[in-house]
Amino acid sequence: MRVLVTGAAGMLGQAVMPALAAAGHAALGLDLPELDVTRLEPFQGAVQGFRPDWVFHLAALTKVDDCEVRRDEAFLVNGLGARHAALAAAEAGAALLALSTDYVFDGTATSPYRESDAANPQSVYGASKWAGEQAVREVHPRHVIVRSSWMFGPGVVNFVDTILARARAGERLRVVDDQRGSPTFTRDLAQGLLRLVNAGVCGTYHCTNSGDCTWYDLAAHAVARAGLGVPLERTDTVSFPRPAKRPAYSVLGNTSFEQVTGWRMPGWRDAVERHLAATAGGTGRNP
Ligand SMILES: NC(=O)c1ccc[n+]([C@@H]2O[C@H](COP(=O)([O-])OP(=O)(O)OC[C@H]3O[C@@H](n4cnc5c(N)ncnc54)[C@H](OP(=O)(O)O)[C@@H]3O)[C@@H](O)[C@H]2O)c1
């Protein structure tokens, strides 16, 4: 398989590129500045030049709070960029796999979201990613949209590494305990993406590590497994205001993913431990 990957230098891209290579696929990874997904013609040129079987569209503006103040840019990159990916892939005869997010949901559910549940994004980031999803559905029938959540992995600063760095620095750690979701290790998600492609399906799928927790639970597990005896304090969303509204509950149900791939994503606790091993205990020294 030939795969062109956008956003290849990002956190997920850094897991997807080696996973594609290990599976024997020919992958071309592109990112800013050589590929700007908001510019259609060069994007079309890159896809036509490589003649991929698949375009994996990972590029996005992912800083959720920044998106609140960079609204136009968020819609340009996350909405229009996804439309461009769909157009470029469709024209070149390639299928499209596009990443999306739990933030398309409003967080009022009390059981895991299904793919068919109504989207109701509460943040600019969520709304811009939802616009991207809709563009993909509109433009390119041969698509797989994968919604994931709460990612961590080597290579890019993420929640787990930030907590561990603060614990090591002896900072007071107060962590939100009233938002629930499913942490996802980028290396596991990369395997999940390949399994979806191999399953030969089209449509929307949720794919996260199995199980769910609060940010506090995630932080506590990481700190404990890193061997740091630092006490953590629970806080709540009201006491920790952020520019972007976060869903209180954004657990994504993996049932459809499991049905079509025949595979269950590993549990999030085990995933945190493998992340710590991959990053020498979350020090940022990635082997
Ligand atoms: N991280 C999460 O928790 C999470 C959860 C659910 C879904 N997702 C989705 O998963 C995908 C990958 O996320 P990630 O965490 O790997 O994000 P990331 O680390 O921010 O990587 C995204 C990459 O896209 C690049 N990019 C930004 N604007 C671009 C443009 N105009 N043209 C081309 N590339 C551009 C970024 O470059 P710069 O760094 O220079 O901006 C970055 O290298 C995204 O679609 C995201 O929405 C992420």
Side-chain angles (χ1 to χ4, degrees):
M1 223 168 58
R2 294 172 68 79
V3 185
L4 185 146
V5 181
T6 73
M11 185 162 62
L12 180 57
Q14 290 186 46
V16 163
M17 293 302 295
L20 285 167
H25 303 304
L28 174 64
L30 297 172
D31 207 304
L32 288 172
E34 69 271 19
L35 175 73
D36 179 349
V37 298
T38 67
R39 298 183 59 223
L40 179 58
E41 272 184 34
F43 198 170
Q44 288 168 314
V47 174
Q48 274 158 15
F50 187 62
R51 294 179 292 102
D53 303 297
W54 281 85
V55 173
F56 281 14
H57 179 56
L58 317 182
L61 219 59
T62 57
K63 292 196 173 76
V64 176
D65 291 323
D66 286 4
C67 286
E68 293 297 309
V69 289
R70 294 161 69 190
R71 185 187 173 87
D72 291 352
E73 204 185 332
F75 275 91
L76 203 61
V77 177
N78 298 344
L80 192 65
R83 178 177 293 276
H84 289 169
L87 285 168
E91 278 169 12
L96 175 70
L97 181 146
L99 260 292
S100 190
T101 168
D102 53 328
Y103 282 29
V104 301
F105 295 118
D106 62 16
T108 55
T110 50
S111 59
Y113 280 102
R114 288 169 305 183
E115 288 79 356
S116 55
D117 285 335
N120 184 22
Q122 300 294 299
S123 61
V124 171
Y125 172 71
S128 65
K129 293 294 291 183
W130 174 240
E133 283 195 19
Q134 287 172 300
V136 167
R137 292 189 189 100
E138 206 179 289
V139 170
H140 194 359
R142 280 179 60 214
H143 70 256
V144 180
I145 293 170
V146 183
R147 295 193 189 121
S148 193
S149 60
W150 293 26
M151 278 184 212
F152 59 91
V156 172
V157 173
N158 58 73
F159 174 82
V160 171
D161 295 348
T162 302
I163 287 289
L164 293 177
R166 288 185 182 165
R168 286 196 180 90
E171 284 182 33
R172 183 181 174 203
L173 288 172
R174 297 170 66 227
V175 187
V176 171
D177 196 32
D178 61 352
Q179 291 169 25
R180 181 163 288 274
S182 294
T184 304
F185 185 31
T186 49
R187 291 185 181 178
D188 290 340
L189 180 55
Q191 294 305 320
L193 301 183
L194 288 181
R195 284 172 192 259
L196 273 172
V197 165
N198 289 338
V201 293
C202 287
T204 303
Y205 291 90
H206 291 169
C207 182
T208 67
N209 275 122
S210 298
D212 58 77
C213 64
T214 67
W215 291 110
Y216 174 88
D217 299 329
L218 175 57
H221 183 65
V223 165
R225 299 307 297 181
L228 302 165
V230 181
L232 272 79
E233 295 168 45
R234 296 172 201 268
T235 185
D236 58 21
T237 307
V238 172
S239 318
F240 195 71
R242 304 283 294 271
K245 191 174 173 196
R246 268 75 173 166
Y249 180 96
S250 66
V251 180
L252 302 176
N254 284 349
T255 307
S256 301
F257 170 86
E258 288 169 4
Q259 279 167 354
V260 299
T261 62
W263 189 58
R264 186 172 162 79
M265 285 281 283
W268 68 265
R269 288 185 183 80
D270 171 69
V272 167
E273 287 158 33
R274 285 180 288 116
H275 171 67
L276 295 182
T279 57
T283 59
R285 283 181 281 117
N286 301 331

